[in-house]
Amino acid sequence: LLNNKLSISSAISGIYTAKFILLIPSFIVVVLGVHFSSLKNYTVLSLFIVFWAAAQSFGPVWYFQATDRLHIYALTDIFSRLLYMLLIFIFLRSSEDYYLIIVLQFLTILISTIVQCTIMSLETGSKIFKLSLVDGINALRSGWSISIFTIITSVYTAAGIFILGIFVPSHQVAIYGNADRLARAGLSMFGPINQIIAPRIYSLVHQGLRESIKYIYRISAFYFPVAVLIFFLIILLAKPAITILFGDSYIESANILRLLGLLFPIIALNTILSSFVLIPLGKDNYVTVVYSIASALSLGAMIILIPRVGIVGMAYSVIIPEAFASISLGFQVYKILRRNLAES
């Protein structure tokens, strides 16, 4: 694709047309949500949040992943973040300047996105915003399963705190929330690593399954043990970490953090099975089905466990669906490997 100017031009046109198509309902939802809520006095600020999200989503990280030059994207992104911090120190003078936090973040992300798109345009000779409805619809069709997978995992992750608040007092929500934020922050560190590894695996899959399997084995031999090591570090350091960050009044968060530490090896395994194996092999529909069932399982577990065992039940409601996903994804990978060995 990258060596075919016509194909890459069509791909870029499709991706950005699809983004514009998705931006329209997002804009409408935010406008209606603001109009019929207590945020009505913050309409302009809410719209800037949409613009910020749009500017970030238009960044062509996928292009730099595909060309094995993610460092270019990283450098422009780091520059925009440093510029944002500098502008905040210069212009933010009082609490009345709160709106500048979003406005400046939007402007710096926009600068970064423009630079990235310019680099891509110069290298490919493509017009970034040459829109094509046909290409856009094709892009939406080809990416629907990954989009649903992302939405499902995001929704059931974000909905947990809201459901927890229905059943337990606010102080208990805060205790769980402290542990949850720390665990999610740690898990997010794997994101940049996944962005580097996944494109390489896609490339190897096209060269042959055997080579890609060897590479996945090598990566997994590092990736999974690191996640296990982090889990054991959490077991050891949860109590002092919670005390330092949140104080003695939230010491109960340490036990929850230790439980959520199980997510590190489990999610690492799920990432290997789904993002490194099944999705590159075209099994994204299967992954989407697994996480759809996991989401329903999580919701059911929350409703059953939280009223009985409180925030501990909430922790188990997060762990159980991920464990289910590990078993289901592992079974599918086992079938693929067994079939491959039989054919060879």
Side-chain angles (χ1 to χ4, degrees), residues 29-99:
V29 167
V30 170
V31 170
L32 291 175
V34 169
H35 182 74
F36 293 105
S37 72
S38 58
L39 294 173
K40 196 171 183 178
N41 295 329
Y42 302 96
T43 301
V44 175
L45 185 62
S46 300
L47 291 178
F48 263 104
I49 292 173
V50 177
F51 297 150
W52 164 76
Q56 191 165 39
S57 70
F58 274 67
V61 59
W62 50 270
Y63 172 76
F64 294 105
Q65 284 179 324
T67 55
D68 269 339
R69 291 178 307 149
L70 200 60
H71 63 281
I72 295 176
Y73 176 87
L75 287 172
T76 55
D77 186 56
I78 290 168
F79 170 78
S80 73
R81 293 174 189 272
L82 291 174
L83 179 61
Y84 167 69
M85 292 173 61
L86 177 63
L87 293 176
I88 284 292
F89 279 116
I90 294 172
F91 292 107
L92 203 67
R93 297 298 182 186
S94 68
S95 59
E96 294 179 357
D97 298 329
Y98 66 89
Y99 65 93

Side-chain angles (χ1 to χ4, degrees), residues 74-338:
L75 287 172
T76 55
D77 186 56
I78 290 168
F79 170 78
S80 73
R81 293 174 189 272
L82 291 174
L83 179 61
Y84 167 69
M85 292 173 61
L86 177 63
L87 293 176
I88 284 292
F89 279 116
I90 294 172
F91 292 107
L92 203 67
R93 297 298 182 186
S94 68
S95 59
E96 294 179 357
D97 298 329
Y98 66 89
Y99 65 93
L100 288 176
I101 295 172
I102 296 299
V103 173
L104 292 175
Q105 197 164 23
F106 160 67
L107 291 175
T108 51
I109 288 289
L110 182 62
I111 291 170
S112 175
T113 297
I114 290 172
V115 171
Q116 293 159 6
C117 288
T118 301
I119 293 171
M120 179 176 67
S121 181
L122 291 172
E123 291 181 350
T124 62
S126 302
K127 294 180 180 179
I128 301 300
F129 297 116
K130 181 183 177 182
L131 304 182
S132 167
L133 186 59
V134 174
D135 290 336
I137 291 172
N138 288 336
L140 288 171
R141 284 175 178 170
S142 63
W144 76 270
S145 57
I146 298 297
S147 298
I148 292 173
F149 163 65
T150 304
I151 291 169
I152 287 170
T153 53
S154 298
V155 167
Y156 96 76
T157 298
I161 298 294
F162 172 76
I163 295 172
L164 180 64
I166 297 173
F167 294 104
V168 301
S170 57
H171 181 68
Q172 288 288 296
V173 173
I175 288 172
Y176 178 84
N178 293 339
D180 183 73
R181 284 195 298 273
L182 286 178
R184 299 294 172 188
L187 289 167
S188 69
M189 294 190 299
F190 287 88
I193 300 172
N194 299 341
Q195 287 183 332
I196 295 170
I197 295 171
R200 176 62 176 162
I201 294 173
Y202 272 93
S203 176
L204 289 172
V205 165
H206 289 291
Q207 297 175 25
L209 185 60
R210 189 176 295 276
E211 286 301 315
S212 62
I213 289 174
K214 288 180 181 178
Y215 180 75
I216 292 167
Y217 274 132
R218 290 199 300 270
I219 290 297
S220 301
F222 165 78
Y223 194 93
F224 186 73
V226 167
V228 173
L229 176 62
I230 292 173
F231 167 61
F232 284 115
L233 287 174
I234 289 172
I235 296 294
L236 293 172
L237 303 175
K239 188 174 181 179
I242 292 294
T243 303
I244 292 169
L245 293 172
F246 304 109
D248 292 331
S249 59
Y250 290 101
I251 197 65
E252 287 180 72
S253 296
N255 292 330
I256 302 300
L257 182 58
R258 291 188 181 104
L259 273 176
L260 294 179
L262 283 167
L263 290 174
F264 282 84
I266 295 174
I267 289 180
L269 179 60
N270 289 351
T271 301
I272 293 167
L273 297 172
S274 60
S275 299
F276 297 171
V277 180
L278 293 175
I279 293 176
L281 291 177
K283 302 293 183 182
D284 43 341
N285 287 338
Y286 179 84
V287 174
T288 300
V289 170
V290 167
Y291 275 97
S292 298
I293 297 171
S295 299
L297 185 62
S298 177
L299 178 61
M302 288 177 194
I303 294 171
I304 294 169
L305 295 177
I306 294 174
R308 289 169 171 78
V309 287
I311 55 177
V312 174
M314 179 65 202
Y316 281 119
S317 299
V318 174
I319 296 166
I320 289 170
E322 293 291 349
F324 162 79
S326 293
I327 295 169
S328 303
L329 298 172
F331 177 71
Q332 184 68 11
V333 170
Y334 169 75
K335 283 171 55 178
I336 292 171
L337 292 175
R338 188 177 64 176

